[in-house]
Amino acid sequence: MNESLTYRDAGVDLDAAERAKRSLAPLLDAVGDENTLSGLGSFGGLYAVPGGMAEPVLVASADGVGTKLKVAFASRRHDTVGQDLVNHCVNDILVQGARPLFFLDYLATGDLDEGVVSAVVGGVARACSENACALLGGETAQMPDFYAAGEYDLAGFVVGVVERGHILDGSAVRAGDRLVALPSSGLHTNGFTLARTIVFERLGLGVGDPFPGEPATVEEVLLRVHRSYLATVWPLLEEGAVRAMAHITGGGIGGNLPRVLPEGLGARVDCTSWAPANVFRQLRDAGGVALREMYRVFNMGVGMILVVAPEREAEVLAALGKGGWPLGEVVEGSGVQLSGVD
């Protein structure tokens, strides 16, 4: 007679999953707010639509962290990728004028390591707190036949709200409007397949080695947290100083800026107006990557672009201080001209 099997024999530890779930309860409780109506264990998260708005419109977005996770696996550092996830999603709805209400995460892993789960979700909770966003819940799935030992995937879902009359959809943009750049903190969460190939294969570096040209290790440089622009930009949105915004993610400036420009309008970007950070210079030199390809794959140091009326450019730049600079302008035509790249 065959020996009786359990779920644990097949690779799924339900006891560990239950312990991990209980350990997350304080994180969810700490990042709830007055509109959070459910707690840990509910089949669905409950959240009351905030009052005080004439025509509230919900804005939702989902995203992941991509192969930046491979750097987290190699370095055994898991406390930053959750922050990346939240901040990326928050930026994606911010460009439509929305502030975040609540967030949910999905973590799928091969062998469930309770410490890793706690670190990842702890990063999610930290970023939710920093963005004044409730962590409403999520899912942790054990899939031992699907993911290699020590690896996981991570996705997130954010829901925010904006007054219908304040939605930023690009319709207010006009030729002659100015572009204002906000700096990134580094690679953010895009281009890591190319970056990892250059750093680990071309340069032959390990995660603990010094990164060329920096007083930091490879893991410290590559795992720098994707910046949230909510706190910086929100006061400008409340003042009505911004006509459109573009979050510079996969596809770079040329792939993202046109998404917020109306038909018949393009942009001229002065790529000599800033010096890309050391990480981009090192990747280009070590990988022999063409400059235009660099601008197509990476943000090159520009994490967010604001489109503002000419008469408000000085006001916006003054409010940003050293945190922004004139990048270019909106022009008749289509696409993005990257001046200084060719």
Side-chain angles (χ1 to χ4, degrees), residues 94-95 168 173 177-182 229 232-234 236-237 241-248 257 260 302-309 313 316-317 320 323-330:
L94 178 64
V95 299
L168 297 182
V173 176
D177 283 349
R178 302 296 192 258
L179 305 177
V180 174
L182 278 66
Y229 295 93
T232 298
V233 172
W234 194 254
L236 297 173
L237 295 182
V242 179
R243 287 182 166 175
M245 291 189 290
H247 185 200
I248 309 306
L257 185 53
V260 301
V302 177
M304 185 75 79
I305 296 176
L306 312 182
V307 182
V308 303
E313 181 183 31
V316 168
L317 289 170
L320 294 173
W325 70 90
L327 184 70
E329 63 179 339
V330 177

Side-chain angles (χ1 to χ4, degrees), residues 18 27 42 95 97 110 143 241 324:
E18 184 59 31
L27 296 178
S42 300
V95 299
M143 303 169 65

Side-chain angles (χ1 to χ4, degrees), residues 184-253:
S184 69
S185 56
L187 298 180
H188 281 183
T189 54
N190 298 101
F192 271 83
T193 299
L194 178 57
R196 289 186 303 104
T197 298
I198 295 170
V199 171
F200 299 129
E201 296 181 19
R202 285 287 183 92
L203 290 173
L205 298 175
V207 291
D209 292 330
F211 192 90
E214 300 210 21
T217 64
V218 167
E219 70 175 76
E220 289 171 337
V221 171
L222 297 186
L223 290 178
R224 283 172 181 156
V225 174
H226 191 133
R227 179 184 172 190
S228 168
Y229 295 93
L230 177 63
T232 298
V233 172
W234 194 254
L236 297 173
L237 295 182
E238 291 188 311
E239 292 294 324
V242 179
R243 287 182 166 175
M245 291 189 290
H247 185 200
I248 309 306
T249 55
I253 294 173

